[in-house]
Amino acid sequence: MASSEVTQDLSQAKRVRPWLAYARRRNATLYGIIFAFVFLTFLVATIRGDSILPYVFEYAGRVVRAFLLLSSALVIWACSSALVQGRDASPVSAAVARLKSLATSSMLARYLYACAILVLFMAAFLYNKTMIPVVAPFQWDETFARWDANLLGGYQPWQIIQPVVGLPWITQLFDIAYSSWVPMVFLFWGGLFASPRVPEPIRIRYWRSTVISWLLIGLVMAAMFSSAGPCYFSEIVLGTPSPYADLMRYLDEVATAYPLSSSLTKDFLWQVYIGNVDLPGGISAMPSMHNAQAALFAAVAYSINRRLGHVMLVYAVLIFLGSIHLGWHYALDGIVGVVAALAIWLACGKLGQGQIAAIS
């Protein structure tokens, strides 16, 4: 490596460290909440004779997969830009230069730093999520199924949308969108922290909203309204005919011809729940964190760019319809999740405005 390149790398590292130190000071309360939550979870797990390391490894693997997805997108972007703009220089050289510039910039270090924090937080969250049925056994499924039907004149939500979306290729589309949600969580969390184009107040607001949503919606409210979801209705509500039997039959038929990630995940989570598999995994329906987080994606996207907001709004609609069509959630799960997440987003916006006013 040339001396100029070494000097450049060292200068990049020097710029990242003070920037991260500033970010930690600026968000000391948020960092304190995250690490207190992780520490308390570690303490509880130790007392119970458990280990949260498998949960850390699980989310570390998800970070790697999200990073591979991001890297692939960046390679495609660099090559496409080089082909369109590279009139004088070689397209290959231009693409390599763009990718090298990204790899050696502070953005990569910021992204990985943010993802490392999220790995610890989400590992602690997932461990606590597995405790929900232990602390509060599933007891709301029959009630939510009845409320869904009352909301729609006696019909279940899946029955209303099935004539339109009940086609294998549409089911696959929902399945892909639903599966992409996990890497999207890391891409938004890490990407907003890494990008110099995102104003700091927007990133802080998103981080705060996300952390509060996972804790309040994903744990506190999930424990209060402990439920498993339509796909597990027949196993949870014994002695009552499942209003989702025909939907499950349709999904099984589609899965035999076109493997669905959601069907495999449902089977895996059930095996974890009944104790046949000793791996990280948890079941919780109300409120829907898929819908809550998708709502935050759309909210922060509109704060950055209107077109990006439109795209993420479409994605949020796909997640809502997919959560019903794939049998993961009652319609009320998604409605409550979205309303709660947007309420938290608005509250964090007010908090941010108050802090800015206090500083000025």
Side-chain angles (χ1 to χ4, degrees), residues 54-198:
Y55 300 86
V56 174
F57 293 147
E58 170 66 24
Y59 274 99
R62 296 184 183 188
V63 165
V64 171
R65 291 191 290 273
F67 184 72
L68 291 175
L69 178 64
L70 176 62
S71 300
S72 300
L74 290 175
V75 169
I76 293 173
W77 166 80
C79 293
S80 300
S81 300
L83 287 173
V84 173
Q85 301 174 4
R87 297 177 180 177
D88 300 327
S90 166
V92 175
S93 300
V96 170
R98 282 186 172 87
L99 293 173
K100 185 177 180 180
S101 175
L102 285 172
T104 57
S105 71
S106 62
M107 291 177 60
L108 178 60
R110 294 181 188 183
Y111 177 82
L112 295 177
Y113 169 82
C115 286
I117 293 174
L118 191 59
V119 164
L120 294 177
F121 177 75
M122 291 305 299
F125 169 82
L126 184 56
Y127 177 83
N128 284 278
K129 182 178 179 178
T130 63
M131 295 294 105
I132 291 177
V134 177
V135 176
F138 300 131
Q139 55 184 327
W140 282 88
D141 286 271
E142 191 171 9
T143 299
F144 292 146
R146 184 171 65 253
W147 288 357
D148 263 7
N150 292 340
L151 191 66
L152 296 172
Y155 291 96
Q156 289 296 331
W158 76 266
Q159 294 173 317
I160 301 295
I161 65 174
Q162 186 66 11
V164 178
V165 303
L167 298 171
W169 72 269
I170 297 181
T171 302
Q172 286 181 289
L173 175 63
F174 283 137
D175 186 65
I176 293 171
Y178 219 76
S179 299
S180 70
W181 178 87
V182 172
M184 289 286 282
V185 170
F186 285 94
L187 291 176
F188 263 82
W189 177 277
L192 292 179
F193 190 76
S195 175
R197 297 184 179 182
V198 177

Side-chain angles (χ1 to χ4, degrees), residues 214-235:
W214 284 107
L215 295 177
L216 182 59
I217 302 175
L219 291 181
V220 176
M221 294 179 68
M224 292 172 59
F225 303 105
S226 183
S227 53
C231 58
Y232 303 119
F233 189 93
S234 59
E235 285 83 3

